[in-house]
Amino acid sequence: MAKKFGLGAGLEALMGGSPKEESAVIESATSTKEKKSDSKSNISLPAGIEQDENGKLWVDPELLKPNPYQMREEFDDEELKGLAESIQENGLIQPITIEDAKDGTFYIIAGERRTRACKLLGLKKVYVQLNAYSDQKKLEVALIENIQRADLNPIEEAKAYYRLMELGGLKQEEVAKKVGKNRATVANSVRLLKLPEDIQNALVTGQITAGHARALLMVKDKMEMQMLFGKIVGQNLSVHQAEVMASEMNNPAPKIKGSDPAPKVKRDPDLIDAETKFIEKLGTKVQIKGDFEKGSIVIDYYSKDDLNRLYDIITK
């Protein structure tokens, strides 16, 4: 049996009714106008929208553009092809929910994957549901639609929660209730945005997992966080190993009395700053030996993959 790609019940509730109910409202309203003016039933609809004899609304998919609050940035080509095949076989089961952009085009409030699949098929008209939403509601619908299908990567999801909190002035508990998650899930997700950009990118591309990211967030010192990141990638550390290392970085073993090394020579603060920038950029331990006139730079790596990663960073 072919898989149906319909919206979840939670999303329908958020959008205020089922597509059938919405179409019935539009049909009823236009029928009233028809009785008064004896004109076509779609006279009150925006240009570009057509209504058939059953009250269904149709539009050219080329007139549809993404929800301005769509947080999803990546769309898997193979998944879209599979969805296109399902639509070709079964038709568009659920309408694409849209809003008039007031410029001859329409925003996709829910159904961007379906829209892209329909374009792949070369369809000239797609079944739509026309409505109007506040900015907060646009974000809520886009967020919930993607979360219901597990379509967002961890950073996209974290940004969505944060934007929802900002836009609606909501607390984490309120966001959690709206999207059907517990507060801890939302809190842990938003914390990922505290990570440096290179580590966030590694999470998006799958170099590290959300568990690794949470282990990195445990590290208090920024340079040590970057060093641990380099080891996770270079040595292919498990989440548990990363957590143990993070704990050790935060709580180093106490020094044995009488074994203190000789006092360190005071270093130039600008040299320390340069070393710090190397560590942040390369995500591994870096030592500058010498001064600004002469010296050497020692860069640690922990595997062949880690060496290739450093090579790519440096040569680019």
Side-chain angles (χ1 to χ4, degrees), residues 114-125:
R114 283 171 285 151
T115 301
R116 288 172 179 255
C118 288
K119 287 182 178 180
L120 281 178
L121 293 172
L123 299 183
K124 299 302 181 183
K125 292 182 182 179

Side-chain angles (χ1 to χ4, degrees), residues 23-78:
S23 295
V25 172
I26 295 172
E27 184 179 15
S28 175
T30 53
S31 294
T32 301
K33 288 182 177 292
E34 182 180 14
K35 290 177 181 178
K36 290 183 178 180
S37 61
D38 194 29
S39 59
K40 294 182 179 179
S41 62
N42 64 358
I43 193 169
S44 63
L45 297 172
I49 298 282
E50 297 179 13
Q51 186 174 31
D52 65 19
E53 63 275 10
N54 297 315
K56 288 185 176 182
L57 305 181
W58 301 83
V59 68
D60 183 344
E62 295 299 328
L63 296 178
L64 305 184
K65 57 187 181 181
N67 181 342
Y69 294 98
Q70 170 66 270
M71 70 297 299
R72 188 179 181 205
E73 299 173 357
E74 302 293 332
F75 292 84
D76 186 273
D77 289 339
E78 289 304 313

Side-chain angles (χ1 to χ4, degrees), residues 293-311:
E293 299 300 325
K294 185 178 180 181
S296 61
I297 300 174
V298 180
I299 302 172
D300 287 7
Y301 62 92
Y302 306 97
S303 70
K304 184 177 180 180
D305 287 341
D306 199 24
L307 179 59
N308 286 331
R309 179 183 69 86
L310 292 169
Y311 175 83

Side-chain angles (χ1 to χ4, degrees), residues 221-240:
D221 184 83
K222 188 183 258 187
M223 283 193 297
E224 289 187 331
M225 179 189 288
Q226 289 287 353
M227 287 163 57
L228 178 56
F229 170 56
K231 289 182 178 181
I232 290 171
V233 175
Q235 298 180 11
N236 196 27
L237 299 181
S238 69
V239 172
H240 177 67

